[in-house]
Amino acid sequence: MNYCTINGSFEEDFFCKFIEEVKKFNQEEPLTVFISSFGGLNSVSDSFRYFFNTYPKDVTLVCMSNIDSCAYSLFMESNTRKFVTESSTAIIHLPYLEITSNDTKDKKNIIYKRMGKKGDNRKTVEHWIELFSKLGNSKSDIDTIKLGNDVM
């Protein structure tokens, strides 16, 4: 069995260090990864997800403290076994939004625009709302998320 941690911000150099360490592991054994992160770059979260989904053996993700922002989406959308420790917390919100606190008159149009260029693989706002709904978040939480705010 291989064990490692992801404890920090999802930045490119952090991902590279993780890969360097994991390359030393026996790829014929399962991998257990303990995660505690406030999030970071969505592109790094996507890279972690690709790595976990293509790892040659079973991967288990363990939330050991907090999984926030893109760390949450990595945890929930990876095709892995998952375990959440009893004292863990999560903060979710919509990614890729540029909403200022002063811009309220046209907030709905800003929130519901496509997040990314046509043809790319970024998710739409509707994808995230659907995911958060399926995970059992209340209507009140979903309404808060739609406004661009965090929900814990």
Side-chain angles (χ1 to χ4, degrees), residues 6-90:
I6 296 176
N7 185 11
S9 181
F10 284 20
E11 304 296 331
E12 290 170 1
D13 60 334
F14 181 72
F15 178 73
C16 292
K17 289 176 187 174
F18 174 84
I19 294 299
E20 286 301 314
E21 288 299 313
V22 173
K23 281 184 359 185
K24 300 173 189 174
F25 291 167
N26 180 348
Q27 303 293 308
E28 296 302 314
E29 293 183 7
L31 175 66
T32 298
V33 181
F34 296 85
I35 300 177
S36 178
S37 176
F38 293 111
L41 298 174
N42 288 305
S43 59
V44 173
S45 177
D46 293 341
S47 298
F48 273 121
R49 183 172 24 264
Y50 176 81
F51 174 82
F52 296 143
N53 290 347
T54 60
Y55 194 77
K57 293 296 179 182
D58 289 338
V59 176
T60 300
L61 300 180
V62 179
C63 175
M64 63 179 196
S65 177
N66 59 289
I67 49 170
D68 303 341
S69 191
C70 65
Y72 177 82
S73 63
L74 166 68
F75 188 83
M76 296 308 296
E77 294 191 309
S78 293
N79 296 326
T80 64
R81 293 176 34 186
K82 298 168 181 65
F83 180 80
V84 179
T85 59
E86 201 170 305
S87 60
S88 295
T89 62

